[in-house]
Amino acid sequence: MKFKTQDIAGMLGGTVEGDANAEIWTLCKIEEGTPGGISFLANPKYTHYIYDTQATAVVVSNEFTPEHPIPTTLIRVKDPYLAFASLLEAYGKMQQQSLQGVSSLAFVSPTATMGDGCYVGEFAVIADGAKIGKNVKIFPQTYVGNGATVGDDTILYAGVKIYGGMSIGNRCILHSGCVVGADGFGFAPKPDGTWDKIPQIGNVVVEDDVEIGANTCIDRSTMGSTVVHKNAKIDNLCQVAHNVVIGNNTAMASQSGVAGSSKIGSNCILAGQVGIVGHIEVGDRVTIAAQSGVTNDVPSDSVVLGSPATDARKQKRNMVIMRNLDKIEARIRELEKKLK
Amino acid sequence: MKFKTQDIAGMLGGTVEGDANAEIWTLCKIEEGTPGGISFLANPKYTHYIYDTQATAVVVSNEFTPEHPIPTTLIRVKDPYLAFASLLEAYGKMQQQSLQGVSSLAFVSPTATMGDGCYVGEFAVIADGAKIGKNVKIFPQTYVGNGATVGDDTILYAGVKIYGGMSIGNRCILHSGCVVGADGFGFAPKPDGTWDKIPQIGNVVVEDDVEIGANTCIDRSTMGSTVVHKNAKIDNLCQVAHNVVIGNNTAMASQSGVAGSSKIGSNCILAGQVGIVGHIEVGDRVTIAAQSGVTNDVPSDSVVLGSPATDARKQKRNMVIMRNLDKIEARIRELEKKLK
Amino acid sequence: MKFKTQDIAGMLGGTVEGDANAEIWTLCKIEEGTPGGISFLANPKYTHYIYDTQATAVVVSNEFTPEHPIPTTLIRVKDPYLAFASLLEAYGKMQQQSLQGVSSLAFVSPTATMGDGCYVGEFAVIADGAKIGKNVKIFPQTYVGNGATVGDDTILYAGVKIYGGMSIGNRCILHSGCVVGADGFGFAPKPDGTWDKIPQIGNVVVEDDVEIGANTCIDRSTMGSTVVHKNAKIDNLCQVAHNVVIGNNTAMASQSGVAGSSKIGSNCILAGQVGIVGHIEVGDRVTIAAQSGVTNDVPSDSVVLGSPATDARKQKRNMVIMRNLDKIEARIRELEKKLK
């Protein structure tokens, strides 16, 4: 879809300086501007790019005063960053809204139900008794198992797998290859060294406005529910084990894992590759540094670091000493010499 | 499916106290009891929940003596925990057994063979020459490549990918998104800094009673076989590289990885996010703590911890000192002052 | 397909000693030889296996002089290792070349374009406007989204997911379950503790001769491109976040992750489970040891180790001291005693 610069200026409540009929069909960075693209200039550090950008138009501040001639069309607004962010959002929504209708190559069970405005791509499976809300976008090759529910306006990208009986909220985004509802890793040792599988018959409840990254796994609980509360954001390749609870607004960066039955509070931040052992409780507003290994309960409002993780300030001091352990050793040697 | 409490009591060899005709259709925790649910009470710590649980029935010990009136129906048995575990197992099996028949939307090559009682879901692919045993449950969108074999009673959940020529045993469970047989990561450096791919033409042999978690990867060997021996249990998002051997009964928790050609013995436990370098040998009955990095051979019956991993007891002592390195430094400073 | 030993000798420019009509249909290690298999002997350590190998033929050096009778047919060549490597390569290519044609069970959009010699397996989806080069092998259940491009001679194994608008080069190999183009993990915190999703509208550019492992994730950029340069090799279960750049020839072992906007130079080696924080730069020819956590820029030609990662030689000395921290503590205690 193409827009004229004057249409975009209208959307943004701005004014055009240059070619009001120039056509725009994409968004770009000012330093990587392309014909047909619109960019923005908010940070003065990037000002020099505007004099030779290939972008067709650039959103700038009303106050911006060029020092050289500018080849591109300008759209002047009050706050270029906010204006561009709203363009980004509109662009993203536009791309999703065009998806409509159920492909004749999908399989939708006659006992499944589906709201209006849904898209179901080729080779997707909506199994018996599944309940799909309104405006749900289900990309090709996605699987929604028996009796699973998916709320309104949720997007399931290609190849998402949702086991039977799982529950996904409204306005969620699940990326390709994520798996919701595989069995928790529960086995009881037998006297002969083999294992008895502990049946995992609970489910997963993903509440509203949750995003789940590509190839992330959220296991069903043994009984009861594994829960991801509202607005939690989980990155790619994360592991959320059985009976875990992830609090509201908590963000979990890539390759982090939470072992069975642990509870993470709300508004926490887990940086990348964090590990959290089973059966512990992490409070609210806790920040856990990358690659940390959390082995004990963590009180609310803490910042922890290290493996095993402890108070970040203390740990950072220790790390400085650790990095210079050879000097510690040298000082001891010196003392030993003197004492002789 | 619904059952009456008296039927369940019959299965468990127990006696009903209360409504023998109450209907049960799910299992639940006593603290999260729901109408239609059956729960159990084994741990005295949970006794107080029985007086106001919403569960329709609770399995209790023959010896249990309530201190208050109880709203729910009781099923009295000798060992409530064992009784409930058998219910869990029966429930799990019931859910699988209903799956039967080959979907008309699946692709089964005319040169593939398949035993009786199999289920093949929509958009699954059973490629040329594949051999599928009896009672195998193949969920939608699963891929079994050319000439691969899958043993009796094995379950392949939605979206499992098995490359051509791989071999999966009897009674295995493979969860969604796991990949068996991708190429090992083998490249020979060329003088110009680019890489020559070393062809990976071996296979993967997964023996009987193995469980493989969601999105776990087991690579084919360069030549010969990558082997996962009987009864090994591998959690989600694990990496088993080319030519690795995983011993009988070994359990590998989520996000752990074993690099090329390493051999892990039998009855080992790898906790979460463990890494094992290539070309080493880990003995039998070895326990490796979470996030450890194993860089050398480990003798049988060891417990190791840390990165690089060493004897866990020694490492734990070191960790205590490390956590208080600032005190070490302070003591040295004190000594230096005194010596002046 | 079967070959006679004399045909193989012809290919290798070698001579047959034994049964020139023996049939060969696979390749094997000398210590795991099987009937119908051909193996090689290059390392004298393995010489003893030749006297009882089950392999039908073994490639040996022109100079090889047996000390005992040999049951198997020999093919004598100048360099057995190189000869065998060329057999391996031919075998690998042969297996791919037989794949031809578009399955009637695949979905190829009428607006997609495709070169000659392509294979498209069952239930694959080539969406609107996608551009597929020549001789591309697209295995079953793979997804190539709207307007994505895939270069000549590339292989997409079963279940690969390529989001719309992404670009894959020539001669690439993408293994099952890898995801190219999921949204970068970008959210702006709101005053009430919830998150605003930052739309991710950039793309991923994977250049020529790149290999991407099973279940690896490469996220699209916020704007502009996430780039994997020529000849980079990425193992299974890796994370490449939005706006990351991976240099030419860089190899990244399993379960490693690079956070947003970081740039990795060319000819680097990231061992397994490495983590790299966002917004840093790693130079060329850098080696990063397994499980390291890189938190700062790394100059070219460095070798780093540890979490946080520092110069490997220094870190190794520190690790030796660390492993013996109890002795450090004992020496301080001793000094304290003496000073009293």
Side-chain angles (χ1 to χ4, degrees):
Chain A
M1 224 175 315
K2 293 184 177 182
F3 295 87
K4 294 189 173 165
T5 45
Q6 63 190 10
D7 299 333
I8 294 174
M11 275 174 60
L12 301 177
T15 53
V16 178
E17 206 171 299
D19 182 356
N21 290 310
E23 286 184 328
I24 300 295
W25 59 86
T26 190
L27 292 85
C28 54
K29 298 187 200 174
I30 193 164
E31 68 270 32
E32 296 172 354
T34 52
I38 186 165
S39 189
F40 77 108
L41 175 62
N43 186 337
K45 247 177 50 183
Y46 288 82
T47 304
H48 66 280
Y49 286 115
I50 204 168
Y51 303 110
D52 52 7
T53 184
Q54 299 296 308
T56 295
V58 178
V59 179
V60 299
S61 154
N62 287 326
E63 280 73 42
F64 173 66
T65 322
E67 299 181 345
H68 309 284
I70 288 182
T72 180
T73 294
L74 301 182
I75 296 178
R76 292 190 174 273
V77 298
K78 204 177 148 198
D79 182 331
Y81 179 78
L82 281 185
F84 194 76
S86 72
L87 278 186
L88 266 175
E89 209 184 323
Y91 183 89
K93 279 194 184 150
M94 225 169 57
Q95 292 192 310
Q96 298 303 346
Q97 276 162 356
S98 59
L99 296 167
Q100 284 275 351
V102 177
S103 164
S104 63
L105 299 177
F107 171 75
V108 181
S109 160
T111 62
T113 62
M114 198 179 298
D116 291 337
C118 288
Y119 158 69
V120 182
E122 292 77 20
F123 314 126
V125 170
I126 316 291
D128 296 351
K131 289 191 180 68
I132 311 293
K134 286 181 291 182
N135 296 315
V136 176
K137 310 299 179 194
I138 298 179
F139 279 69
Q141 300 149 337
T142 287
Y143 171 77
V144 181
N146 286 6
T149 63
V150 178
D152 298 345
D153 301 303
T154 281
I155 302 173
L156 308 178
Y157 281 105
V160 165
K161 306 297 173 203
I162 300 173
Y163 279 53
M166 306 300 134
S167 165
I168 311 291
N170 301 308
R171 296 174 304 280
C172 292
I173 300 175
L174 276 67
H175 282 284
S176 284
C178 77
V179 176
V180 177
D183 284 351
F185 195 63
F187 301 92
K190 292 203 280 194
D192 65 354
T194 66
W195 300 96
D196 251 341
K197 180 172 173 69
I198 300 171
Q200 305 288 312
I201 65 157
N203 73 344
V204 175
V205 175
V206 173
E207 294 186 351
D208 297 343
D209 299 295
V210 167
E211 184 155 343
I212 303 178
N215 286 341
T216 279
C217 300
I218 305 183
D219 280 355
R220 73 193 306 169
S221 62
T222 312
M223 280 190 290
S225 300
T226 303
V227 183
V228 181
H229 282 296
K230 281 186 188 180
N231 242 301
K233 308 296 178 186
I234 303 180
D235 199 356
N236 301 337
L237 292 165
C238 289
Q239 157 78 350
V240 177
H242 50 172
N243 298 81
V244 162
V245 176
I246 305 284
N248 290 334
N249 306 324
T250 283
M252 190 168 163
S254 180
Q255 297 179 317
S256 290
V258 182
S261 300
S262 282
K263 286 184 170 40
I264 313 297
S266 58
N267 298 88
C268 293
I269 295 189
L270 281 68
Q273 298 184 337
V274 160
I276 296 187
V277 300
H279 298 275
I280 67 168
E281 218 161 307
V282 171
D284 299 331
R285 298 170 302 281
V286 170
T287 298
I288 305 176
Q291 291 194 329
S292 295
V294 181
T295 55
N296 287 297
D297 287 359
V298 179
S300 290
D301 300 295
S302 313
V303 181
V304 298
L305 166 63
S307 176
T310 52
D311 176 72
R313 269 171 311 175
K314 184 172 181 179
Q315 187 77 354
K316 275 181 193 165
R317 281 197 307 268
N318 279 339
M319 278 174 172
V320 172
I321 307 179
M322 245 184 276
R323 219 174 297 152
N324 296 296
L325 265 185
D326 47 345
K327 287 180 194 156
I328 289 280
E329 213 265 335
R331 283 162 73 184
I332 295 178
R333 225 179 310 126
E334 186 63 22
L335 285 165
E336 287 168 340
K337 231 192 280 174
K338 279 191 184 161
L339 262 181
K340 271 185 195 161
Chain B
M1 223 174 317
K2 293 183 177 184
F3 294 87
K4 293 189 173 165
T5 45
Q6 65 191 5
D7 299 333
I8 294 174
M11 274 173 60
L12 301 177
T15 53
V16 179
E17 205 170 302
D19 182 356
N21 290 311
E23 286 183 327
I24 300 294
W25 60 85
T26 190
L27 293 84
C28 53
K29 298 187 202 174
I30 194 165
E31 69 270 32
E32 297 172 354
T34 52
I38 186 166
S39 188
F40 76 110
L41 176 62
N43 185 336
K45 247 178 50 183
Y46 288 81
T47 304
H48 66 280
Y49 286 113
I50 205 168
Y51 302 111
D52 53 7
T53 184
Q54 299 294 310
T56 295
V58 178
V59 179
V60 299
S61 153
N62 288 327
E63 280 72 42
F64 173 67
T65 322
E67 298 181 344
H68 309 284
I70 288 182
T72 181
T73 294
L74 301 181
I75 296 178
R76 292 189 174 274
V77 299
K78 201 176 152 199
D79 183 332
Y81 180 79
L82 281 185
F84 194 76
S86 73
L87 277 187
L88 266 176
E89 209 183 323
Y91 183 89
K93 279 196 183 149
M94 226 169 57
Q95 292 193 310
Q96 298 302 348
Q97 276 163 355
S98 59
L99 296 167
Q100 284 276 351
V102 177
S103 165
S104 62
L105 299 177
F107 172 74
V108 181
S109 160
T111 62
T113 61
M114 197 180 298
D116 291 336
C118 288
Y119 158 69
V120 182
E122 292 77 19
F123 315 125
V125 170
I126 315 290
D128 297 350
K131 291 191 179 69
I132 311 293
K134 287 181 291 181
N135 296 315
V136 176
K137 309 298 180 194
I138 298 178
F139 279 69
Q141 301 148 336
T142 286
Y143 172 75
V144 181
N146 287 6
T149 62
V150 178
D152 298 345
D153 301 303
T154 282
I155 302 172
L156 309 179
Y157 281 104
V160 165
K161 306 297 174 205
I162 300 174
Y163 279 54
M166 306 300 134
S167 164
I168 311 291
N170 301 309
R171 295 174 304 280
C172 292
I173 299 175
L174 275 68
H175 282 284
S176 284
C178 77
V179 176
V180 177
D183 284 351
F185 195 64
F187 301 92
K190 291 203 280 193
D192 65 354
T194 66
W195 300 97
D196 253 339
K197 180 172 172 70
I198 300 170
Q200 307 287 313
I201 66 158
N203 72 345
V204 175
V205 175
V206 173
E207 294 186 350
D208 298 343
D209 299 295
V210 167
E211 184 156 343
I212 302 178
N215 286 339
T216 278
C217 300
I218 305 184
D219 279 354
R220 73 193 304 169
S221 62
T222 311
M223 279 190 291
S225 299
T226 303
V227 183
V228 181
H229 282 296
K230 282 186 189 178
N231 241 302
K233 309 295 178 185
I234 303 181
D235 199 356
N236 300 338
L237 292 164
C238 288
Q239 157 77 350
V240 177
H242 50 173
N243 297 82
V244 162
V245 176
I246 305 283
N248 291 334
N249 307 324
T250 283
M252 190 168 163
S254 180
Q255 298 178 316
S256 289
V258 182
S261 299
S262 282
K263 286 184 171 39
I264 313 297
S266 58
N267 298 86
C268 293
I269 294 188
L270 280 69
Q273 298 184 338
V274 160
I276 295 187
V277 300
H279 299 276
I280 67 168
E281 219 161 306
V282 171
D284 299 331
R285 296 169 304 280
V286 170
T287 297
I288 305 177
Q291 292 193 329
S292 295
V294 181
T295 54
N296 287 296
D297 288 359
V298 180
S300 291
D301 300 295
S302 314
V303 181
V304 297
L305 166 62
S307 175
T310 52
D311 176 73
R313 269 171 312 176
K314 184 172 180 180
Q315 187 78 354
K316 274 181 194 166
R317 279 198 307 268
N318 278 339
M319 279 175 170
V320 171
I321 306 179
M322 245 183 277
R323 218 173 299 153
N324 295 296
L325 265 185
D326 49 345
K327 287 182 194 155
I328 290 280
E329 212 266 335
R331 282 162 73 184
I332 295 177
R333 224 179 312 126
E334 185 63 24
L335 286 164
E336 286 168 340
K337 232 191 282 174
K338 279 193 185 160
L339 262 181
K340 273 186 192 162
Chain C
M1 224 174 318
K2 293 184 176 182
F3 295 87
K4 293 189 173 166
T5 46
Q6 64 191 8
D7 300 334
I8 294 174
M11 273 173 60
L12 301 177
T15 52
V16 179
E17 206 170 300
D19 182 355
N21 291 311
E23 286 183 328
I24 299 294
W25 60 85
T26 191
L27 292 84
C28 54
K29 298 187 203 174
I30 194 166
E31 68 271 31
E32 297 173 355
T34 52
I38 185 165
S39 190
F40 76 110
L41 176 61
N43 185 337
K45 246 176 53 182
Y46 289 81
T47 305
H48 66 279
Y49 286 114
I50 204 168
Y51 302 111
D52 53 8
T53 184
Q54 299 295 309
T56 295
V58 177
V59 179
V60 298
S61 153
N62 287 326
E63 280 71 44
F64 173 66
T65 321
E67 298 180 343
H68 309 285
I70 289 183
T72 181
T73 294
L74 301 182
I75 296 178
R76 292 189 174 274
V77 298
K78 201 175 154 203
D79 183 330
Y81 179 78
L82 280 185
F84 194 76
S86 73
L87 276 187
L88 265 176
E89 208 183 324
Y91 183 89
K93 280 196 183 147
M94 225 170 56
Q95 292 193 309
Q96 299 301 348
Q97 276 162 356
S98 59
L99 296 167
Q100 285 275 353
V102 177
S103 165
S104 62
L105 298 177
F107 170 75
V108 181
S109 160
T111 63
T113 62
M114 196 179 297
D116 291 337
C118 288
Y119 158 70
V120 182
E122 292 76 19
F123 314 125
V125 170
I126 316 292
D128 297 350
K131 290 190 179 69
I132 311 292
K134 287 182 290 182
N135 295 316
V136 176
K137 310 299 180 194
I138 299 179
F139 279 69
Q141 301 149 338
T142 286
Y143 171 77
V144 181
N146 286 6
T149 62
V150 178
D152 298 344
D153 301 303
T154 283
I155 302 173
L156 309 178
Y157 281 104
V160 165
K161 306 297 174 205
I162 300 174
Y163 279 54
M166 306 298 134
S167 165
I168 311 290
N170 301 309
R171 296 174 304 280
C172 292
I173 300 175
L174 275 67
H175 282 284
S176 284
C178 77
V179 176
V180 177
D183 285 350
F185 195 64
F187 301 91
K190 290 203 280 193
D192 65 353
T194 65
W195 300 96
D196 252 340
K197 179 171 174 71
I198 299 171
Q200 306 287 313
I201 66 159
N203 73 345
V204 176
V205 175
V206 173
E207 294 186 351
D208 297 343
D209 299 296
V210 167
E211 184 156 344
I212 303 178
N215 286 341
T216 278
C217 300
I218 305 185
D219 279 355
R220 74 193 304 169
S221 62
T222 311
M223 279 190 291
S225 300
T226 303
V227 183
V228 181
H229 282 297
K230 281 185 190 181
N231 242 301
K233 309 294 178 186
I234 303 180
D235 199 356
N236 301 338
L237 293 165
C238 288
Q239 157 78 351
V240 177
H242 50 173
N243 298 82
V244 162
V245 176
I246 305 283
N248 290 333
N249 306 324
T250 283
M252 191 170 162
S254 180
Q255 297 178 318
S256 289
V258 182
S261 300
S262 282
K263 286 185 172 33
I264 313 296
S266 58
N267 298 87
C268 294
I269 295 188
L270 281 68
Q273 298 184 337
V274 160
I276 296 187
V277 300
H279 299 276
I280 67 168
E281 219 161 307
V282 171
D284 298 331
R285 296 170 304 281
V286 170
T287 298
I288 305 176
Q291 291 193 330
S292 295
V294 181
T295 55
N296 287 297
D297 287 359
V298 180
S300 290
D301 300 295
S302 314
V303 181
V304 298
L305 165 64
S307 176
T310 53
D311 175 73
R313 268 172 311 176
K314 184 172 180 177
Q315 187 78 355
K316 274 182 195 164
R317 281 197 305 271
N318 279 340
M319 278 174 170
V320 171
I321 307 179
M322 246 183 278
R323 218 174 297 153
N324 297 296
L325 266 186
D326 47 345
K327 286 181 195 155
I328 289 280
E329 213 267 335
R331 282 162 72 185
I332 295 178
R333 227 180 308 127
E334 186 61 24
L335 286 165
E336 286 167 340
K337 233 193 281 175
K338 279 192 184 160
L339 263 182
K340 271 187 195 162

